[in-house]
Amino acid sequence: MDSTIPAHTELALRLGVFLAVFAALALWEWAAPARALRLSRLLRWRANLGLAVLNTLVLRIVLPGSALAFAALAADEGWGLLNRLELPAWLAVLAGVVVLDLVIYFQHVLFHSVPALARLHAVHHADPDFDLTTGIRFHPLEIVLSTLIKFAAIAALGAPVLAVLAFEILLNATAMFNHANVSLPAWLEPWVRRVLVTPDMHRTHHSVIESERNSNYGFCLSIWDRLFGSYVPEPAGGAAALQIGFPGLTDPAVSTTFLGVLGIPFRAAGPQEAKR
């Protein structure tokens, strides 16, 4: 299997899917929101989208090579398990996508468990509302660390270039989908949830209650939460009573402004007010 994908093709695919999913979910949120937003969408989106742009620029400077380029290097050098096994191409791609999704699950658990990392991840949880832009709201330092973890996983696994491309597209799309302010039809949601993380499932993870916040870590496949005992079917008080946000980080000047959000990990009180 060809281990190279032209950079312009990667950019076109990833950007095209991102814009299409973003537009579709934004329209869905406008037409049928699952919850009433507490704050102005414009107020929050300026900070959330500003972070997304900043993160893209930071990665271009700090880690100019893409995950696909790194996967191609790993293939050329014979790094990783899958580059040493004689598997059919389709199986290697499928295994690569599934294992990388598992890595993201454990990475998410790590960013809730280690205090220094939890401070960075609090930027994501401090969003006072929950919509598709929450899924791209992360501190630049978390994005850099996450990318390094992903590179290490690609090298150890020997994930094929096509698997990495598919995973990158899926991760971006499902991160926006499972944070969207929408709900699937009641008859359909339980069936989709058996395979994929749905907005109703992941919304519990953004609860102000610590035990609920430390659950439902998955981004794409829902099996990991079930398998490792972190699955919570619904909030204790029901979906209607769920409170979104992070205790101690509720001031809009902190949680919804670009500079305020960037400073969250370095606040004196910090996210340790809520333990994790």
Side-chain angles (χ1 to χ4, degrees):
M1 181 171 58
D2 187 2
S3 64
T4 61
I5 293 178
H8 66 274
T9 301
E10 174 194 354
L11 178 61
L13 282 172
R14 294 187 60 183
L15 183 60
V17 173
F18 173 86
L19 292 175
V21 172
F22 189 99
L25 290 173
L27 181 60
W28 189 357
E29 287 185 340
W30 174 79
R35 296 163 57 96
L37 297 178
R38 292 184 290 169
L39 298 177
S40 161
R41 181 181 284 108
L42 177 61
L43 178 66
R44 293 176 44 258
W45 279 28
R46 283 185 301 187
N48 294 359
L49 295 178
L51 278 178
V53 172
L54 176 61
N55 290 338
T56 300
L57 295 175
V58 168
L59 283 181
R60 291 290 181 184
I61 295 170
V62 178
L63 296 168
S66 71
L68 266 70
F70 191 75
L73 173 63
D76 291 341
E77 297 293 333
W79 296 341
L81 178 63
L82 294 179
N83 285 319
R84 298 178 180 274
L85 297 177
E86 295 293 334
L87 295 179
W90 68 267
L91 183 56
V93 170
L94 179 60
V97 171
V98 171
V99 174
L100 287 174
D101 190 61
L102 175 60
V103 170
I104 291 298
Y105 169 86
F106 282 122
Q107 174 191 303
H108 198 175
V109 173
L110 184 69
F111 273 82
H112 275 254
S113 304
V114 177
L117 300 180
R119 280 180 170 267
L120 297 176
H121 193 58
V123 168
H124 179 64
H125 281 271
D127 195 340
D129 278 314
F130 182 95
D131 69 12
L132 78 157
T133 66
T134 309
I136 54 177
R137 171 189 162 122
F138 294 95
H139 196 277
L141 290 177
E142 177 173 358
I143 290 296
V144 170
L145 291 173
S146 298
T147 302
L148 291 173
I149 291 172
K150 180 166 56 182
F151 278 20
I154 290 170
L157 178 62
V161 170
L162 187 56
V164 175
L165 176 62
F167 173 74
E168 294 278 74
I169 291 173
L170 277 172
L171 181 63
N172 288 336
T174 55
M176 289 188 289
F177 168 68
N178 60 43
H179 286 89
N181 184 29
V182 299
S183 290
L184 294 171
W187 63 268
L188 179 61
E189 202 275 346
W191 293 98
V192 175
R193 186 187 290 216
R194 291 173 183 267
V195 180
L196 300 176
V197 176
T198 65
D200 285 347
M201 176 181 167
H202 192 70
R203 197 174 289 118
T204 301
H205 179 72
H206 282 256
S207 169
V208 298
I209 299 173
E210 183 186 2
S211 60
E212 294 178 346
R213 188 166 61 250
N214 293 330
S215 71
N216 297 2
Y217 293 106
F219 262 69
C220 183
L221 299 176
S222 62
I223 187 175
W224 310 127
D225 283 296
R226 302 176 193 275
L227 189 61
F228 296 108
S230 54
Y231 175 63
V232 172
E234 62 179 359
L242 177 67
Q243 295 184 50
I244 299 292
F246 203 103
L249 297 173
T250 56
D251 182 354
V254 174
S255 63
T256 64
T257 66
F258 183 70
L259 292 179
V261 168
L262 280 177
I264 283 176
F266 313 106
R267 293 178 59 81
Q272 296 309 304
E273 296 169 2
K275 297 182 182 178
R276 282 188 286 174

